[in-house]
Amino acid sequence: DWRSVKPLLFDRIRPGFVDLLSIIDCSAVLGLRNLSEAAEQVMFFADEIGFERFALVGHSMGARIAADVAAHFTERVSRLLLLDGSNLPEDPEIAEERLSDEIKRLGQEKWAELTINSMMVENLVTDLKLSMVKRLANYPIQVLLDYYHAMAKWDRDQFLPAINKIKCPVTIMQATTLDSGEKRHSITTNPSSRWIDGFSTYMPKSKIILLPGTGHFVMLEHPKAIADWVNKNESSLTTNPLTSKISN
């Protein structure tokens, strides 16, 4: 997901790309039910590779996790870049049940195809879209359900408390939003969302960058914008930045 970003980073920058354990090896760790556990995985990785203070980038579910890291490890995160975050509109139990029903009704492969297409991927090449569908179709269903439940629970219980705890500067690059029926729209046609409005209200100094004509996978369509953000902020860090690969 970040293959186009890494070559654009300055040579002196040492990036780290975090894969969640349950995504790397589903047989070892089934999906997490709490995104704060995923935030702890990010910090374990940072400690393991010696990142004391770092800039953090998160996309989609990873934007939630990155916000949770910044909220609970305030002295470790110097700056935060959140890519196309959102909030699920449903109660976590209802959201998980609905997802389970959808996968059973459609079959996982068809569900994966419809899900990726709903993320507005028209600008991506066909091979890349097919690869994304295949990856999603191959996840164990329980992992998908666990993470979906975890996202909805974090959105309901932790989103606003996390915003109120974040101390570092925040930049948001937003391309899409979800409506109350969980249908994705371009940010330019549906500019308000609980995600954007929450940061605007509780962190009014947040920098919000709208990306018209862009789908959900911002890092694939605008890798230079992300690399430029990391390169620009590198000089403000006491150590090298960490780029968090925590995606769908």
Side-chain angles (χ1 to χ4, degrees):
D1 290 338
W2 304 89
R3 63 175 68 87
S4 298
V5 176
K6 186 175 180 180
L8 301 176
L9 299 175
F10 290 156
D11 290 342
R12 63 178 175 271
I13 289 176
R14 179 187 170 206
F17 298 90
V18 184
D19 274 306
L20 299 179
L21 292 179
S22 54
I23 298 299
I24 297 173
D25 185 359
C26 295
S27 64
V29 183
L30 208 54
L32 300 175
R33 302 285 287 187
N34 187 327
L35 290 192
S36 293
E37 297 176 36
E40 292 173 1
Q41 286 188 13
V42 174
M43 292 309 302
F44 177 82
F45 177 77
D47 291 341
E48 192 174 54
I49 60 178
F51 285 178
E52 295 180 5
R53 184 167 165 80
F54 46 85
L56 188 59
V57 182
H59 166 251
S60 192
M61 182 175 74
R64 297 169 168 88
I65 297 170
D68 197 272
V69 172
H72 291 98
F73 301 91
T74 55
E75 303 306 315
R76 302 286 298 275
V77 181
S78 62
R79 294 180 185 272
L80 196 59
L81 176 60
L82 305 177
L83 305 176
D84 218 45
S86 62
N87 293 93
L88 298 176
E90 297 173 314
D91 175 271
E93 301 298 334
I94 295 174
E96 181 180 350
E97 183 178 357
R98 184 181 60 78
L99 177 61
S100 178
D101 290 343
E102 283 185 0
I103 295 175
K104 290 177 182 177
R105 176 173 58 86
L106 295 169
Q108 189 171 349
E109 187 171 343
K110 184 62 176 179
W111 168 82
E113 180 184 351
L114 293 174
T115 298
I116 294 299
N117 287 337
S118 73
M119 295 178 179
M120 303 169 63
V121 292
E122 293 84 0
N123 297 333
L124 303 182
V125 298
T126 300
D127 286 350
L128 180 55
K129 288 186 283 188
L130 291 175
S131 174
M132 295 165 72
V133 170
K134 182 178 180 181
R135 179 173 57 178
L136 190 58
N138 286 335
Y139 285 152
I141 291 177
Q142 191 58 49
V143 169
L144 297 171
L145 297 177
D146 284 349
Y147 271 116
Y148 205 68
H149 183 281
M151 284 194 293
K153 189 174 188 300
W154 191 90
D155 291 349
R156 184 191 66 184
D157 300 338
Q158 299 298 322
F159 172 56
L160 294 180
I163 290 178
N164 284 314
K165 293 177 183 178
I166 295 172
K167 295 181 180 180
C168 67
V170 176
T171 299
I172 295 170
M173 292 186 185
Q174 198 72 23
T176 72
T177 62
L178 295 178
D179 63 21
S180 58
E182 207 175 330
K183 183 177 180 180
R184 196 171 296 276
H185 300 271
S186 169
I187 185 68
T188 52
T189 59
N190 192 36
S192 180
S193 70
R194 187 169 181 257
W195 179 263
I196 291 291
D197 296 345
F199 280 97
S200 298
T201 301
Y202 295 98
M203 291 194 73
K205 293 185 178 180
S206 300
K207 183 177 182 180
I208 299 175
I209 301 170
L210 304 185
L211 301 171
T214 303
H216 179 54
F217 293 94
V218 175
M219 63 284 197
L220 295 174
E221 293 193 46
H222 295 284
K224 186 176 185 303
I226 298 166
D228 286 349
W229 181 89
V230 176
N231 291 335
K232 178 180 178 181
N233 290 297
E234 184 267 347
S235 60
S236 69
L237 306 178
T238 56
T239 62
N240 293 314
L242 168 65
T243 299
S244 168
K245 173 188 175 287
I246 326 170
S247 189
N248 289 311

